[in-house]
């Protein structure tokens, strides 16, 4: 089965003030949305083939509710600066390749989805030192969104497509079967490091340029 990288999220402080660094850098922000019943809100940046999401919990009561508790989203957010991996990674199947999931998973049915739909969450969701892995039934390239859902894709800095996703992790030497399965799709790379960080490469990185958003955001961009 063939899979594509759909989007990633980074846990942030409430309001994701960290997004202002991305805007100052030259990215154009898309629409934000709230996830009713899950207790989370985001700020989003779209590229032609994928999306970057900055995510926080705005309603602790919802996030700690009986329905949402198995996701461990509350623990992941509250411990994002003291040991929990601050990232989530979403894949999507290549068009025409069916509904196969890239990793062993469980069906998560948040209140904001129709009752007939679910998000497939990796069975490593209890492993807080690894990214929250998931697959949505509606993932597609942002440049193929229907007109009514279209987002700004052209950025002042000229970045178009995410062509490398590399996770730096202090827990890289011992992977769950679910994270190993995602690495095996070749949609993300993984290497060891003292602190969590995500490196995103754009457009083949032919210009040899880099911007480092740390310490405010554990993100490095290369293009």
């Amino acid at each position: 089965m063939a899979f594509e990288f759909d989007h990633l999220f980074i846990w942030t402080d409430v309001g994701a003030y960290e997004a202002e660094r991305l805007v100052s850098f030259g990215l154009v922000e898309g629409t934000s949305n709230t996830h009713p019943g899950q207790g989370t809100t985001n700020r989003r940046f779209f590229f032609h083939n994928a999306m970057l999401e900055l995510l926080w919990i705005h309603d602790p009561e919802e996030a700690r509710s009986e329905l949402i508790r198995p996701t461990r989203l509350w623990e992941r957010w509250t411990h994002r600066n003291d040991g929990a991996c601050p990232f989530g990674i979403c894949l999507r199947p290549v068009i025409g390749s069916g509904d196969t999931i890239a990793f062993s998973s469980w069906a998560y049915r948040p209140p904001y989805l129709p009752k007939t739909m679910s998000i497939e969450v990796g069975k490593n969701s209890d492993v807080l030192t690894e990214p929250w892995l998931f697959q949505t039934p509606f993932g597609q390239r942002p440049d193929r969104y229907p007109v009514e859902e279209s987002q700004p894709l052209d950025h002042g800095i000229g970045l178009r497509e995410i062509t490398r996703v590399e996770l730096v992790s202090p827990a890289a030497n011992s992977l769950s079967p679910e994270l190993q399965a995602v690495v095996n799709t070749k949609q993300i790379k993984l290497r060891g490091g003292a602190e969590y960080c995500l490196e995103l490469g754009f457009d083949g990185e032919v210009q040899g340029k880099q911007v480092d958003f740390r310490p405010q955001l554990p993100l490095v961009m290369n293009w």
Side-chain angles (χ1 to χ4, degrees):
M1 296 299 298
F3 297 91
E4 296 175 338
F5 170 69
D6 187 79
H7 72 277
L8 65 87
F9 68 71
I10 304 175
W11 287 117
T12 68
D13 291 343
V14 172
Y17 70 88
E18 300 93 335
E20 304 307 327
R21 287 281 313 279
L22 302 180
V23 173
S24 298
F25 166 64
L27 299 185
V28 179
E29 188 171 355
T31 62
S32 65
N33 61 20
T34 296
H35 306 111
Q38 181 173 284
T40 55
T41 302
N42 62 26
R43 296 178 69 173
R44 303 182 295 174
F45 296 85
F46 295 82
F47 304 93
H48 282 257
N49 67 330
M51 184 261 287
L52 169 62
E53 176 182 18
L54 305 187
L55 186 68
W56 69 93
I57 287 179
H58 72 269
D59 190 325
E61 186 174 344
E62 287 186 353
R64 290 181 291 186
S65 67
E66 183 176 356
L67 178 62
I68 309 303
R69 192 178 303 127
T71 66
R72 304 296 297 276
L73 293 177
W74 170 253
E75 291 88 349
R76 287 174 174 272
W77 182 65
T78 54
H79 294 289
R80 66 192 181 280
N81 294 319
D82 58 18
C85 181
F87 309 123
I89 295 174
C90 181
L91 298 183
R92 62 177 181 250
V94 171
I95 291 176
S97 62
D99 299 326
T100 300
I101 311 302
F103 41 82
S104 59
S105 63
W106 56 276
Y108 170 48
R109 294 181 170 84
Y112 60 86
L113 284 185
K115 293 186 183 299
T116 56
M117 298 178 73
S118 65
I119 293 171
E120 293 299 319
V121 174
K123 287 186 176 179
N124 69 330
S125 52
D126 281 337
V127 183
L128 302 189
T129 55
E130 295 187 343
W132 201 68
L133 304 178
F134 60 114
Q135 233 178 265
T136 64
F138 41 79
Q140 61 180 319
R141 292 175 57 102
D143 60 9
R144 292 178 180 161
Y145 285 179
V147 173
E148 65 272 15
E149 298 175 14
S150 63
Q151 297 286 342
L153 302 178
D154 297 320
H155 304 279
I157 197 68
L159 307 182
R160 289 180 56 84
E161 297 208 358
I162 296 175
T163 51
R164 177 170 66 94
V165 180
E166 186 157 357
L167 170 65
V168 181
S169 169
N173 292 328
S174 179
L175 305 187
S176 68
E178 292 76 23
L179 183 54
Q180 185 62 59
V182 171
V183 172
N184 291 347
T185 69
K186 302 189 183 305
Q187 295 307 301
I188 72 167
K189 296 181 178 181
L190 179 66
R191 74 172 193 269
E195 297 181 341
Y196 290 106
C197 182
L198 265 173
E199 291 190 9
L200 295 183
F202 290 84
D203 307 314
E205 304 173 52
V206 295
Q207 296 186 50
K209 296 180 179 180
Q210 182 185 84
V211 60
D212 191 335
F213 294 101
R214 295 174 293 182
Q216 292 88 353
L217 203 59
L219 177 67
V220 176
M221 290 184 175
N222 300 273
W223 71 99

